[in-house]
Amino acid sequence: MNSAVLGNALLEQLSTAVLLLDEHLSVRYANPAAEQLFATSRTHLLGRSIALFFWEDDECLDALNNALLDQQPYTRREARLHFPSTAQVVTLDYTATPFNGAGQAGKQLLVELFPQDRVLRLSREDNLFTAHQVTRALVRGVAHEVKNPLGGIRGAAQLLARQLSSPEFQEYTDVIIAETDRLSHVVDRMLGPRQRLHFTRINIHQVLERVRLILQAEVGEAITLSCDYDPSLPELYADLDRLIQVVLNIVRNAAQALLENPSERPAEIILRSRVLRQFTIGAHRHRLVCLVEVEDNGPGIDGPLLETLFYPMVTGRAQGTGLGLPIAQGIIQEHEGLIECESTRGRTVFRILIPVDPHLEPYPGVLP
């Protein structure tokens, strides 16, 4: 086997998507990995200009043209490619290298494309897990240091109230007691529920329908609540009440964002359920994962806030406490799952991922 045949065979076996572009940036060659990335056949790719693909910005095309003209390699990190037919967005790194093959006329570019969505998702998940564990430990330490003095202040105020005969002065001690109780309640909320989770077999649609009915009673016709359920989802091994608490918190946040920021479009929240197969959460790969999405068409969440959304005391609302989402994240992590958020202007999606087959204890009988 000569080197040219061997090289072509190696390209065909690569898991990295490879394109060969001519001087007009039209595709002359695409390996099977490129077919998979672009979700189309090689026949459909050949002869098409790379400009026909839906790059997020024109800089990508300008950079490819410059690499071709200057005959200099170029690397781009985290470029985004849109596929309108499937509403999919692929984040990828790519490297363009000038290529002069034997017997080939004209300038050419060898483009290697490296999808990064999986790497970015795993990194984001790892950051969420780590941030939650660190903030949880910090909150527990602070809560311990705060609750002890609060107990002393409350006790002293009660003793002082018994020694005071004037009702006016007793009003002051009542304020002290009430405020210490309020602060103690805030600390308890930061710590989250203390009871152990009660795991039973549940249908996730029990949770979603309960939440839908509660919110519909609260908002009436001001918001349209739509459902998009996958009826084939198997039962979960989970705590029903805690999952209702989690989903209700997220849905209420979405409703408040819609009501506080009205627009010309009718306000809508979509509750969606899907099943994911062979899906990795953290360090564990699960055969089946239940995906619950809460999508709204509100104003979206600003980038800086989105990065710290699950930290305690972080909120974008004037009346918010910033405790609901960290507590919700903690509950889902106790189910070996995760909550993620993606937001752009006009669309915010919270994704709740819960394994159908958790490692918490054996899960008999439901899965074959």
Side-chain angles (χ1 to χ4, degrees):
M1 182 181 294
N2 62 42
S3 59
V5 174
L6 177 61
N8 187 67
L10 290 174
L11 285 173
E12 293 289 300
Q13 298 301 316
L14 284 178
S15 59
T16 301
V18 176
L19 299 175
L20 181 64
L21 307 181
D22 63 17
E23 57 189 358
H24 304 295
L25 297 183
S26 296
V27 179
R28 295 184 57 115
Y29 168 81
N31 69 347
E35 292 180 283
Q36 184 176 0
L37 174 63
F38 289 95
T40 189
S41 68
R42 189 179 330 202
T43 304
H44 187 65
L45 285 171
L46 294 180
R48 296 188 70 194
S49 171
I50 197 71
L52 296 176
F53 299 108
F54 300 91
W55 299 96
E56 184 179 50
D57 55 63
D58 294 334
E59 291 182 9
C60 296
L61 299 176
D62 293 340
L64 290 176
N65 273 311
N66 291 336
L68 189 66
L69 294 173
D70 300 338
Q71 290 291 285
Q72 294 292 328
Y74 174 78
T75 297
R76 172 70 182 264
R77 304 294 183 191
E78 296 188 16
R80 289 165 66 85
L81 199 59
H82 296 250
F83 296 94
S85 59
T86 60
Q88 183 182 9
V89 178
V90 176
T91 303
L92 49 82
D93 296 348
Y94 68 85
T95 297
T97 307
F99 177 76
N100 297 307
Q104 299 290 334
K107 297 178 180 179
Q108 300 177 94
L109 275 182
L110 189 68
V111 182
E112 302 166 82
L113 304 112
F114 309 92
Q116 297 296 311
D117 292 281
R118 178 175 171 79
V119 174
L120 292 172
R121 184 179 66 80
L122 291 175
S123 175
R124 186 169 58 248
E125 286 184 1
D126 184 59
N127 289 339
L128 284 173
F129 276 113
T130 302
H132 180 74
Q133 296 302 321
V134 170
T135 55
R136 184 79 170 167
L138 176 62
V139 165
R140 286 187 179 277
V142 172
H144 176 75
E145 295 299 324
V146 170
K147 290 207 74 171
N148 285 342
L150 284 178
I153 294 170
R154 191 182 197 282
Q158 288 176 319
L159 291 174
L160 182 60
R162 294 173 187 170
Q163 304 298 320
L164 297 174
S165 56
S166 171
E168 180 182 351
F169 292 145
Q170 286 189 347
E171 286 182 8
Y172 297 145
T173 57
D174 289 343
V175 169
I176 295 172
I177 293 170
E179 287 301 294
T180 53
D181 287 343
R182 185 179 64 82
L183 289 175
S184 182
H185 178 65
V186 170
V187 171
D188 287 338
R189 288 194 61 197
M190 291 175 67
L191 290 172
R194 297 182 180 181
Q195 299 83 7
R196 292 178 60 86
L197 299 184
H198 178 61
F199 286 91
T200 56
R201 290 195 187 106
I202 68 166
N203 186 318
I204 192 61
H205 300 126
Q206 291 176 260
V207 175
L208 299 181
E209 280 301 289
R210 178 81 64 83
V211 169
R212 185 183 66 82
L213 291 173
I214 292 172
L215 194 74
Q216 194 72 74
E218 293 178 353
V219 302
E221 298 181 357
I223 298 175
T224 300
L225 292 174
S226 304
C227 302
D228 180 11
Y229 298 158
D230 181 353
S232 69
L233 270 168
E235 290 182 318
L236 302 177
Y237 192 62
D239 186 309
L240 176 64
D241 291 337
R242 297 293 176 80
L243 288 190
I244 292 174
Q245 176 187 348
V246 168
V247 179
L248 186 58
N249 179 276
I250 292 173
V251 171
R252 276 179 172 156
N253 285 349
Q256 288 165 353
L258 288 167
L259 294 174
E260 293 173 3
N261 300 274
S263 68
E264 295 180 357
R265 294 181 302 171
E268 182 181 18
I269 296 175
I270 303 173
L271 298 177
R272 185 180 296 113
S273 67
R274 292 291 185 269
V275 62
L276 305 177
R277 303 180 186 279
Q278 300 300 333
F279 194 85
T280 301
I281 301 176
H284 296 291
R285 187 174 183 82
H286 301 277
R287 190 150 62 95
L288 291 177
V289 168
C290 170
L291 168 65
V292 172
E293 291 187 339
V294 178
E295 178 178 338
D296 70 73
N297 61 347
I301 302 171
D302 293 336
L305 178 61
L306 191 62
E307 295 296 320
T308 57
L309 200 57
F310 295 99
Y311 291 1
M313 313 305 287
V314 174
T315 179
R317 297 178 53 246
Q319 304 301 320
T321 63
L323 297 176
L325 287 177
I327 291 172
Q329 184 72 274
I331 291 172
I332 295 302
Q333 287 191 12
E334 288 187 80
H335 287 78
E336 292 196 3
L338 191 69
I339 305 177
E340 300 176 333
C341 180
E342 173 186 315
S343 184
T344 57
R345 185 166 185 81
R347 181 176 181 267
T348 297
V349 182
F350 278 86
R351 295 186 176 91
I352 305 171
L353 299 158
I354 308 171
V356 173
D357 55 340
H359 298 82
L360 299 168
E361 63 179 84
Y363 185 84
V366 174
L367 297 177

